[in-house]
Amino acid sequence: MEPVIICISLFACIFGIFFLFFQTRNKERLALIENDKDASIFKVRKDRSSPVWAVILLNLSLVLMGVGFGFLIGNLFEAYTVLNDDLAYIASLFFTPGAFLLLGFYLTRKMKL
C-alpha cells in the first residue's frame, strides 16, 4: 500500500507543478493581450543567448568535479586532522559542489550572451 501512496503523491506533485506553470503562463499572456502589449518577451532570441545545452553541460560537469574534489578534500581532512570522519566528508561534499556551481554561474555569465 505504501508504494501506491508514494506513486500517487509523486504524480500529484509533478502534475501540480506543470499545472501551475501552464496556468501562470496562460494568465500572463492573456494579461498582455488585454493590455495590447507586445508578446516578444516570450520569443527566444537565438543570436544573443547562449545555448541551453552548453549551460547545462557546464554546470553538470562542474558539479561532478565538485563532488570528486569534495571526496578528495574529505579524505585529506580525515587523514590529516582530528575532525570526525563523517563531518569531514559531509562538509566537503556540500561545500565543494556549491563552490563549483558558483564558479559555473560566473563562467555562464562570461559566455556569449
Side-chain angles (χ1 to χ4, degrees), residues 24-69:
T24 305
R25 187 176 72 168
N26 188 28
K27 285 183 181 180
E28 287 175 350
R29 290 181 180 193
L30 285 175
L32 282 174
I33 291 171
E34 287 176 358
N35 294 328
D36 293 330
K37 301 287 182 180
D38 186 24
S40 64
I41 61 171
F42 297 113
K43 295 179 182 175
V44 177
R45 297 180 188 170
K46 298 286 184 183
D47 57 339
R48 292 188 60 205
S49 64
S50 57
V52 175
W53 62 268
V55 174
I56 291 173
L57 188 63
L58 174 70
N59 286 328
L60 181 64
S61 64
L62 285 172
V63 165
L64 291 176
M65 288 189 324
V67 169
F69 194 66

mmCIF file of all heavy atoms in Angstrom, residues 24-69:
data_model
loop_
_atom_site.group_PDB
_atom_site.id
_atom_site.type_symbol
_atom_site.label_atom_id
_atom_site.label_comp_id
_atom_site.label_asym_id
_atom_site.label_seq_id
_atom_site.Cartn_x
_atom_site.Cartn_y
_atom_site.Cartn_z
ATOM 1 N N THR A 24 -0.115 29.851 -14.955
ATOM 2 C CA THR A 24 0.504 31.162 -14.802
ATOM 3 C C THR A 24 0.916 31.734 -16.147
ATOM 4 O O THR A 24 0.709 32.926 -16.419
ATOM 5 C CB THR A 24 1.733 31.055 -13.889
ATOM 6 O OG1 THR A 24 1.338 30.464 -12.658
ATOM 7 C CG2 THR A 24 2.350 32.403 -13.629
ATOM 8 N N ARG A 25 1.472 30.890 -17.008
ATOM 9 C CA ARG A 25 1.886 31.356 -18.333
ATOM 10 C C ARG A 25 0.678 31.836 -19.127
ATOM 11 O O ARG A 25 0.729 32.872 -19.805
ATOM 12 C CB ARG A 25 2.604 30.224 -19.072
ATOM 13 C CG ARG A 25 3.213 30.673 -20.389
ATOM 14 C CD ARG A 25 3.977 29.578 -21.043
ATOM 15 N NE ARG A 25 3.057 28.588 -21.570
ATOM 16 C CZ ARG A 25 3.395 27.622 -22.400
ATOM 17 N NH1 ARG A 25 4.642 27.484 -22.763
ATOM 18 N NH2 ARG A 25 2.506 26.772 -22.845
ATOM 19 N N ASN A 26 -0.427 31.102 -19.021
ATOM 20 C CA ASN A 26 -1.637 31.479 -19.741
ATOM 21 C C ASN A 26 -2.172 32.816 -19.228
ATOM 22 O O ASN A 26 -2.574 33.677 -20.020
ATOM 23 C CB ASN A 26 -2.692 30.379 -19.590
ATOM 24 C CG ASN A 26 -3.893 30.628 -20.471
ATOM 25 O OD1 ASN A 26 -3.779 31.257 -21.506
ATOM 26 N ND2 ASN A 26 -5.036 30.126 -20.051
ATOM 27 N N LYS A 27 -2.163 33.013 -17.909
ATOM 28 C CA LYS A 27 -2.657 34.277 -17.345
ATOM 29 C C LYS A 27 -1.776 35.455 -17.763
ATOM 30 O O LYS A 27 -2.280 36.541 -18.047
ATOM 31 C CB LYS A 27 -2.712 34.186 -15.824
ATOM 32 C CG LYS A 27 -3.870 33.362 -15.320
ATOM 33 C CD LYS A 27 -3.921 33.349 -13.807
ATOM 34 C CE LYS A 27 -5.063 32.513 -13.312
ATOM 35 N NZ LYS A 27 -5.127 32.484 -11.843
ATOM 36 N N GLU A 28 -0.474 35.248 -17.806
ATOM 37 C CA GLU A 28 0.425 36.323 -18.233
ATOM 38 C C GLU A 28 0.162 36.714 -19.677
ATOM 39 O O GLU A 28 0.112 37.906 -20.013
ATOM 40 C CB GLU A 28 1.877 35.886 -18.088
ATOM 41 C CG GLU A 28 2.369 35.810 -16.678
ATOM 42 C CD GLU A 28 3.777 35.243 -16.584
ATOM 43 O OE1 GLU A 28 4.286 34.737 -17.604
ATOM 44 O OE2 GLU A 28 4.348 35.318 -15.492
ATOM 45 N N ARG A 29 -0.018 35.733 -20.506
ATOM 46 C CA ARG A 29 -0.256 36.037 -21.925
ATOM 47 C C ARG A 29 -1.618 36.691 -22.137
ATOM 48 O O ARG A 29 -1.744 37.594 -22.972
ATOM 49 C CB ARG A 29 -0.125 34.760 -22.753
ATOM 50 C CG ARG A 29 1.308 34.299 -22.802
ATOM 51 C CD ARG A 29 1.498 33.075 -23.622
ATOM 52 N NE ARG A 29 2.917 32.704 -23.597
ATOM 53 C CZ ARG A 29 3.456 31.831 -24.393
ATOM 54 N NH1 ARG A 29 2.721 31.201 -25.271
ATOM 55 N NH2 ARG A 29 4.746 31.566 -24.311
ATOM 56 N N LEU A 30 -2.627 36.238 -21.397
ATOM 57 C CA LEU A 30 -3.933 36.883 -21.509
ATOM 58 C C LEU A 30 -3.875 38.328 -21.018
ATOM 59 O O LEU A 30 -4.527 39.210 -21.598
ATOM 60 C CB LEU A 30 -4.983 36.096 -20.719
ATOM 61 C CG LEU A 30 -5.453 34.797 -21.370
ATOM 62 C CD1 LEU A 30 -6.399 34.057 -20.440
ATOM 63 C CD2 LEU A 30 -6.125 35.069 -22.697
ATOM 64 N N ALA A 31 -3.118 38.593 -19.968
ATOM 65 C CA ALA A 31 -2.974 39.968 -19.486
ATOM 66 C C ALA A 31 -2.264 40.840 -20.518
ATOM 67 O O ALA A 31 -2.613 42.008 -20.691
ATOM 68 C CB ALA A 31 -2.210 39.979 -18.165
ATOM 69 N N LEU A 32 -1.278 40.291 -21.208
ATOM 70 C CA LEU A 32 -0.614 41.050 -22.262
ATOM 71 C C LEU A 32 -1.569 41.351 -23.415
ATOM 72 O O LEU A 32 -1.557 42.457 -23.966
ATOM 73 C CB LEU A 32 0.597 40.279 -22.787
ATOM 74 C CG LEU A 32 1.841 40.312 -21.925
ATOM 75 C CD1 LEU A 32 2.896 39.379 -22.493
ATOM 76 C CD2 LEU A 32 2.392 41.725 -21.854
ATOM 77 N N ILE A 33 -2.398 40.391 -23.765
ATOM 78 C CA ILE A 33 -3.354 40.612 -24.858
ATOM 79 C C ILE A 33 -4.380 41.664 -24.461
ATOM 80 O O ILE A 33 -4.744 42.531 -25.266
ATOM 81 C CB ILE A 33 -4.031 39.278 -25.239
ATOM 82 C CG1 ILE A 33 -3.011 38.349 -25.900
ATOM 83 C CG2 ILE A 33 -5.215 39.512 -26.168
ATOM 84 C CD1 ILE A 33 -3.514 36.940 -26.124
ATOM 85 N N GLU A 34 -4.851 41.607 -23.204
ATOM 86 C CA GLU A 34 -5.857 42.578 -22.758
ATOM 87 C C GLU A 34 -5.307 44.000 -22.743
ATOM 88 O O GLU A 34 -6.028 44.952 -23.007
ATOM 89 C CB GLU A 34 -6.347 42.214 -21.359
ATOM 90 C CG GLU A 34 -7.250 41.010 -21.330
ATOM 91 C CD GLU A 34 -7.631 40.615 -19.919
ATOM 92 O OE1 GLU A 34 -7.152 41.271 -18.957
ATOM 93 O OE2 GLU A 34 -8.394 39.647 -19.773
ATOM 94 N N ASN A 35 -4.030 44.154 -22.437
ATOM 95 C CA ASN A 35 -3.436 45.491 -22.352
ATOM 96 C C ASN A 35 -2.761 45.921 -23.647
ATOM 97 O O ASN A 35 -2.073 46.937 -23.668
ATOM 98 C CB ASN A 35 -2.422 45.541 -21.211
ATOM 99 C CG ASN A 35 -3.074 45.361 -19.862
ATOM 100 O OD1 ASN A 35 -4.213 45.767 -19.671
ATOM 101 N ND2 ASN A 35 -2.373 44.754 -18.932
ATOM 102 N N ASP A 36 -2.945 45.176 -24.714
ATOM 103 C CA ASP A 36 -2.357 45.478 -26.028
ATOM 104 C C ASP A 36 -0.851 45.659 -25.958
ATOM 105 O O ASP A 36 -0.276 46.582 -26.531
ATOM 106 C CB ASP A 36 -2.993 46.726 -26.644
ATOM 107 C CG ASP A 36 -4.451 46.502 -26.999
ATOM 108 O OD1 ASP A 36 -4.793 45.349 -27.316
ATOM 109 O OD2 ASP A 36 -5.238 47.462 -26.945
ATOM 110 N N LYS A 37 -0.188 44.782 -25.228
ATOM 111 C CA LYS A 37 1.267 44.811 -25.118
ATOM 112 C C LYS A 37 1.876 43.835 -26.110
ATOM 113 O O LYS A 37 1.226 42.931 -26.605
ATOM 114 C CB LYS A 37 1.720 44.436 -23.696
ATOM 115 C CG LYS A 37 1.187 45.325 -22.622
ATOM 116 C CD LYS A 37 1.869 46.666 -22.656
ATOM 117 C CE LYS A 37 1.323 47.518 -21.520
ATOM 118 N NZ LYS A 37 1.900 48.809 -21.470
ATOM 119 N N ASP A 38 3.174 44.022 -26.366
ATOM 120 C CA ASP A 38 3.898 43.160 -27.285
ATOM 121 C C ASP A 38 4.324 41.881 -26.552
ATOM 122 O O ASP A 38 4.840 41.940 -25.440
ATOM 123 C CB ASP A 38 5.126 43.884 -27.823
ATOM 124 C CG ASP A 38 5.832 43.100 -28.897
ATOM 125 O OD1 ASP A 38 5.180 42.258 -29.554
ATOM 126 O OD2 ASP A 38 7.042 43.333 -29.089
ATOM 127 N N ALA A 39 4.105 40.738 -27.185
ATOM 128 C CA ALA A 39 4.458 39.452 -26.570
ATOM 129 C C ALA A 39 5.832 38.974 -27.009
ATOM 130 O O ALA A 39 6.102 37.781 -27.019
ATOM 131 C CB ALA A 39 3.398 38.416 -26.916
ATOM 132 N N SER A 40 6.718 39.891 -27.357
ATOM 133 C CA SER A 40 8.046 39.495 -27.831
ATOM 134 C C SER A 40 8.923 38.955 -26.705
ATOM 135 O O SER A 40 9.960 38.357 -26.978
ATOM 136 C CB SER A 40 8.736 40.673 -28.502
ATOM 137 O OG SER A 40 8.960 41.693 -27.560
ATOM 138 N N ILE A 41 8.521 39.146 -25.454
ATOM 139 C CA ILE A 41 9.331 38.623 -24.348
ATOM 140 C C ILE A 41 9.293 37.109 -24.294
ATOM 141 O O ILE A 41 10.142 36.485 -23.679
ATOM 142 C CB ILE A 41 8.869 39.216 -23.001
ATOM 143 C CG1 ILE A 41 7.418 38.841 -22.712
ATOM 144 C CG2 ILE A 41 9.073 40.698 -22.962
ATOM 145 C CD1 ILE A 41 6.970 39.198 -21.316
ATOM 146 N N PHE A 42 8.310 36.495 -24.929
ATOM 147 C CA PHE A 42 8.201 35.035 -24.929
ATOM 148 C C PHE A 42 9.001 34.383 -26.048
ATOM 149 O O PHE A 42 9.149 33.175 -26.070
ATOM 150 C CB PHE A 42 6.742 34.601 -25.032
ATOM 151 C CG PHE A 42 5.917 35.045 -23.859
ATOM 152 C CD1 PHE A 42 4.913 35.975 -24.009
ATOM 153 C CD2 PHE A 42 6.170 34.547 -22.597
ATOM 154 C CE1 PHE A 42 4.169 36.380 -22.934
ATOM 155 C CE2 PHE A 42 5.428 34.950 -21.513
ATOM 156 C CZ PHE A 42 4.426 35.872 -21.678
ATOM 157 N N LYS A 43 9.497 35.179 -26.974
ATOM 158 C CA LYS A 43 10.283 34.625 -28.072
ATOM 159 C C LYS A 43 11.728 34.466 -27.646
ATOM 160 O O LYS A 43 12.311 35.364 -27.033
ATOM 161 C CB LYS A 43 10.197 35.531 -29.299
ATOM 162 C CG LYS A 43 8.805 35.619 -29.871
ATOM 163 C CD LYS A 43 8.768 36.540 -31.056
ATOM 164 C CE LYS A 43 7.345 36.658 -31.580
ATOM 165 N NZ LYS A 43 7.253 37.627 -32.657
ATOM 166 N N VAL A 44 12.333 33.343 -27.989
ATOM 167 C CA VAL A 44 13.728 33.082 -27.643
ATOM 168 C C VAL A 44 14.610 33.667 -28.729
ATOM 169 O O VAL A 44 14.425 33.399 -29.913
ATOM 170 C CB VAL A 44 13.984 31.565 -27.512
ATOM 171 C CG1 VAL A 44 15.439 31.297 -27.225
ATOM 172 C CG2 VAL A 44 13.094 30.983 -26.439
ATOM 173 N N ARG A 45 15.557 34.487 -28.326
ATOM 174 C CA ARG A 45 16.478 35.081 -29.284
ATOM 175 C C ARG A 45 17.653 34.138 -29.476
ATOM 176 O O ARG A 45 18.387 33.842 -28.541
ATOM 177 C CB ARG A 45 16.975 36.416 -28.777
ATOM 178 C CG ARG A 45 15.892 37.422 -28.620
ATOM 179 C CD ARG A 45 16.455 38.719 -28.120
ATOM 180 N NE ARG A 45 15.384 39.626 -27.785
ATOM 181 C CZ ARG A 45 15.564 40.757 -27.160
ATOM 182 N NH1 ARG A 45 16.780 41.119 -26.800
ATOM 183 N NH2 ARG A 45 14.556 41.526 -26.881
ATOM 184 N N LYS A 46 17.821 33.677 -30.673
ATOM 185 C CA LYS A 46 18.906 32.735 -30.971
ATOM 186 C C LYS A 46 20.250 33.430 -31.100
ATOM 187 O O LYS A 46 21.280 32.836 -30.853
ATOM 188 C CB LYS A 46 18.609 31.979 -32.279
ATOM 189 C CG LYS A 46 17.373 31.139 -32.228
ATOM 190 C CD LYS A 46 17.608 29.913 -31.400
ATOM 191 C CE LYS A 46 16.373 29.041 -31.447
ATOM 192 N NZ LYS A 46 16.470 27.874 -30.643
ATOM 193 N N ASP A 47 20.252 34.696 -31.465
ATOM 194 C CA ASP A 47 21.514 35.368 -31.721
ATOM 195 C C ASP A 47 22.206 35.853 -30.448
ATOM 196 O O ASP A 47 23.419 35.929 -30.399
ATOM 197 C CB ASP A 47 21.287 36.557 -32.660
ATOM 198 C CG ASP A 47 20.260 37.538 -32.115
ATOM 199 O OD1 ASP A 47 19.464 37.144 -31.254
ATOM 200 O OD2 ASP A 47 20.260 38.696 -32.570
ATOM 201 N N ARG A 48 21.463 36.136 -29.386
ATOM 202 C CA ARG A 48 22.071 36.729 -28.194
ATOM 203 C C ARG A 48 22.282 35.740 -27.056
ATOM 204 O O ARG A 48 23.152 35.933 -26.234
ATOM 205 C CB ARG A 48 21.202 37.870 -27.691
ATOM 206 C CG ARG A 48 21.197 39.047 -28.637
ATOM 207 C CD ARG A 48 20.506 40.225 -28.046
ATOM 208 N NE ARG A 48 21.195 40.630 -26.824
ATOM 209 C CZ ARG A 48 20.624 41.283 -25.846
ATOM 210 N NH1 ARG A 48 19.374 41.607 -25.918
ATOM 211 N NH2 ARG A 48 21.307 41.605 -24.764
ATOM 212 N N SER A 49 21.469 34.725 -26.966
ATOM 213 C CA SER A 49 21.575 33.839 -25.810
ATOM 214 C C SER A 49 22.484 32.659 -26.110
ATOM 215 O O SER A 49 22.589 32.197 -27.234
ATOM 216 C CB SER A 49 20.188 33.342 -25.399
ATOM 217 O OG SER A 49 19.638 32.561 -26.435
ATOM 218 N N SER A 50 23.143 32.195 -25.067
ATOM 219 C CA SER A 50 23.988 31.020 -25.229
ATOM 220 C C SER A 50 23.100 29.781 -25.245
ATOM 221 O O SER A 50 22.019 29.778 -24.657
ATOM 222 C CB SER A 50 25.012 30.944 -24.104
ATOM 223 O OG SER A 50 24.357 30.925 -22.868
ATOM 224 N N PRO A 51 23.530 28.714 -25.895
ATOM 225 C CA PRO A 51 22.688 27.523 -25.977
ATOM 226 C C PRO A 51 22.457 26.913 -24.595
ATOM 227 O O PRO A 51 23.355 26.886 -23.742
ATOM 228 C CB PRO A 51 23.475 26.565 -26.866
ATOM 229 C CG PRO A 51 24.747 27.236 -27.210
ATOM 230 C CD PRO A 51 24.764 28.590 -26.621
ATOM 231 N N VAL A 52 21.246 26.431 -24.396
ATOM 232 C CA VAL A 52 20.868 25.877 -23.102
ATOM 233 C C VAL A 52 21.690 24.632 -22.796
ATOM 234 O O VAL A 52 22.107 24.420 -21.655
ATOM 235 C CB VAL A 52 19.352 25.560 -23.090
ATOM 236 C CG1 VAL A 52 18.953 24.880 -21.803
ATOM 237 C CG2 VAL A 52 18.550 26.820 -23.297
ATOM 238 N N TRP A 53 21.949 23.825 -23.808
ATOM 239 C CA TRP A 53 22.691 22.579 -23.566
ATOM 240 C C TRP A 53 24.100 22.869 -23.072
ATOM 241 O O TRP A 53 24.660 22.124 -22.274
ATOM 242 C CB TRP A 53 22.717 21.712 -24.820
ATOM 243 C CG TRP A 53 23.398 22.346 -25.992
ATOM 244 C CD1 TRP A 53 22.825 23.086 -26.971
ATOM 245 C CD2 TRP A 53 24.804 22.315 -26.285
ATOM 246 N NE1 TRP A 53 23.777 23.529 -27.856
ATOM 247 C CE2 TRP A 53 25.005 23.064 -27.465
ATOM 248 C CE3 TRP A 53 25.900 21.728 -25.668
ATOM 249 C CZ2 TRP A 53 26.248 23.239 -28.021
ATOM 250 C CZ3 TRP A 53 27.147 21.907 -26.239
ATOM 251 C CH2 TRP A 53 27.307 22.650 -27.408
ATOM 252 N N ALA A 54 24.687 23.971 -23.530
ATOM 253 C CA ALA A 54 26.045 24.306 -23.091
ATOM 254 C C ALA A 54 26.063 24.708 -21.623
ATOM 255 O O ALA A 54 26.962 24.325 -20.873
ATOM 256 C CB ALA A 54 26.617 25.428 -23.949
ATOM 257 N N VAL A 55 25.052 25.443 -21.191
ATOM 258 C CA VAL A 55 24.975 25.865 -19.798
ATOM 259 C C VAL A 55 24.727 24.654 -18.895
ATOM 260 O O VAL A 55 25.357 24.512 -17.840
ATOM 261 C CB VAL A 55 23.867 26.922 -19.620
ATOM 262 C CG1 VAL A 55 23.657 27.266 -18.165
ATOM 263 C CG2 VAL A 55 24.187 28.169 -20.433
ATOM 264 N N ILE A 56 23.825 23.768 -19.315
ATOM 265 C CA ILE A 56 23.532 22.567 -18.527
ATOM 266 C C ILE A 56 24.758 21.676 -18.452
ATOM 267 O O ILE A 56 25.106 21.160 -17.381
ATOM 268 C CB ILE A 56 22.322 21.824 -19.119
ATOM 269 C CG1 ILE A 56 21.052 22.638 -18.907
ATOM 270 C CG2 ILE A 56 22.173 20.440 -18.491
ATOM 271 C CD1 ILE A 56 19.835 22.078 -19.590
ATOM 272 N N LEU A 57 25.429 21.491 -19.566
ATOM 273 C CA LEU A 57 26.620 20.642 -19.586
ATOM 274 C C LEU A 57 27.739 21.243 -18.728
ATOM 275 O O LEU A 57 28.413 20.516 -17.993
ATOM 276 C CB LEU A 57 27.098 20.458 -21.028
ATOM 277 C CG LEU A 57 28.202 19.458 -21.260
ATOM 278 C CD1 LEU A 57 27.729 18.066 -20.868
ATOM 279 C CD2 LEU A 57 28.625 19.469 -22.704
ATOM 280 N N LEU A 58 27.905 22.551 -18.789
ATOM 281 C CA LEU A 58 28.917 23.212 -17.972
ATOM 282 C C LEU A 58 28.623 23.024 -16.487
ATOM 283 O O LEU A 58 29.496 22.633 -15.708
ATOM 284 C CB LEU A 58 28.982 24.699 -18.315
ATOM 285 C CG LEU A 58 29.897 25.547 -17.444
ATOM 286 C CD1 LEU A 58 31.352 25.201 -17.732
ATOM 287 C CD2 LEU A 58 29.631 27.009 -17.670
ATOM 288 N N ASN A 59 27.378 23.271 -16.077
ATOM 289 C CA ASN A 59 27.033 23.144 -14.662
ATOM 290 C C ASN A 59 27.084 21.699 -14.191
ATOM 291 O O ASN A 59 27.526 21.432 -13.072
ATOM 292 C CB ASN A 59 25.659 23.747 -14.394
ATOM 293 C CG ASN A 59 25.694 25.255 -14.425
ATOM 294 O OD1 ASN A 59 26.683 25.864 -14.064
ATOM 295 N ND2 ASN A 59 24.611 25.854 -14.872
ATOM 296 N N LEU A 60 26.653 20.755 -15.019
ATOM 297 C CA LEU A 60 26.703 19.344 -14.629
ATOM 298 C C LEU A 60 28.147 18.881 -14.468
ATOM 299 O O LEU A 60 28.479 18.184 -13.499
ATOM 300 C CB LEU A 60 25.983 18.484 -15.664
ATOM 301 C CG LEU A 60 25.931 16.990 -15.370
ATOM 302 C CD1 LEU A 60 25.134 16.724 -14.109
ATOM 303 C CD2 LEU A 60 25.360 16.239 -16.546
ATOM 304 N N SER A 61 28.999 19.275 -15.384
ATOM 305 C CA SER A 61 30.405 18.863 -15.275
ATOM 306 C C SER A 61 31.066 19.498 -14.054
ATOM 307 O O SER A 61 31.857 18.857 -13.360
ATOM 308 C CB SER A 61 31.162 19.228 -16.546
ATOM 309 O OG SER A 61 31.199 20.628 -16.715
ATOM 310 N N LEU A 62 30.725 20.742 -13.760
ATOM 311 C CA LEU A 62 31.299 21.385 -12.580
ATOM 312 C C LEU A 62 30.789 20.755 -11.289
ATOM 313 O O LEU A 62 31.545 20.617 -10.324
ATOM 314 C CB LEU A 62 31.009 22.878 -12.600
ATOM 315 C CG LEU A 62 31.848 23.677 -13.593
ATOM 316 C CD1 LEU A 62 31.361 25.108 -13.680
ATOM 317 C CD2 LEU A 62 33.307 23.640 -13.213
ATOM 318 N N VAL A 63 29.530 20.337 -11.255
ATOM 319 C CA VAL A 63 29.012 19.666 -10.059
ATOM 320 C C VAL A 63 29.714 18.333 -9.857
ATOM 321 O O VAL A 63 30.110 17.985 -8.733
ATOM 322 C CB VAL A 63 27.484 19.472 -10.155
ATOM 323 C CG1 VAL A 63 26.983 18.475 -9.133
ATOM 324 C CG2 VAL A 63 26.781 20.787 -9.954
ATOM 325 N N LEU A 64 29.901 17.575 -10.938
ATOM 326 C CA LEU A 64 30.582 16.284 -10.811
ATOM 327 C C LEU A 64 32.037 16.471 -10.385
ATOM 328 O O LEU A 64 32.557 15.703 -9.568
ATOM 329 C CB LEU A 64 30.485 15.507 -12.115
ATOM 330 C CG LEU A 64 29.086 15.010 -12.472
ATOM 331 C CD1 LEU A 64 29.090 14.335 -13.829
ATOM 332 C CD2 LEU A 64 28.551 14.079 -11.408
ATOM 333 N N MET A 65 32.703 17.485 -10.924
ATOM 334 C CA MET A 65 34.065 17.766 -10.481
ATOM 335 C C MET A 65 34.074 18.203 -9.022
ATOM 336 O O MET A 65 34.984 17.856 -8.259
ATOM 337 C CB MET A 65 34.706 18.847 -11.364
ATOM 338 C CG MET A 65 35.056 18.357 -12.745
ATOM 339 S SD MET A 65 36.032 19.480 -13.764
ATOM 340 C CE MET A 65 35.481 21.078 -13.371
ATOM 341 N N GLY A 66 33.057 18.954 -8.604
ATOM 342 C CA GLY A 66 32.958 19.377 -7.221
ATOM 343 C C GLY A 66 32.751 18.205 -6.274
ATOM 344 O O GLY A 66 33.325 18.175 -5.175
ATOM 345 N N VAL A 67 31.958 17.223 -6.689
ATOM 346 C CA VAL A 67 31.758 16.030 -5.859
ATOM 347 C C VAL A 67 33.066 15.254 -5.734
ATOM 348 O O VAL A 67 33.445 14.820 -4.639
ATOM 349 C CB VAL A 67 30.627 15.154 -6.432
ATOM 350 C CG1 VAL A 67 30.587 13.795 -5.758
ATOM 351 C CG2 VAL A 67 29.293 15.842 -6.273
ATOM 352 N N GLY A 68 33.767 15.080 -6.835
ATOM 353 C CA GLY A 68 35.054 14.385 -6.789
ATOM 354 C C GLY A 68 36.067 15.115 -5.930
ATOM 355 O O GLY A 68 36.782 14.506 -5.131
ATOM 356 N N PHE A 69 36.116 16.422 -6.082
ATOM 357 C CA PHE A 69 37.028 17.226 -5.278
ATOM 358 C C PHE A 69 36.612 17.185 -3.806
ATOM 359 O O PHE A 69 37.456 17.210 -2.912
ATOM 360 C CB PHE A 69 37.049 18.660 -5.806
ATOM 361 C CG PHE A 69 38.176 19.482 -5.287
ATOM 362 C CD1 PHE A 69 39.480 19.184 -5.619
ATOM 363 C CD2 PHE A 69 37.928 20.572 -4.465
ATOM 364 C CE1 PHE A 69 40.528 19.948 -5.142
ATOM 365 C CE2 PHE A 69 38.964 21.336 -3.979
ATOM 366 C CZ PHE A 69 40.267 21.021 -4.314
#
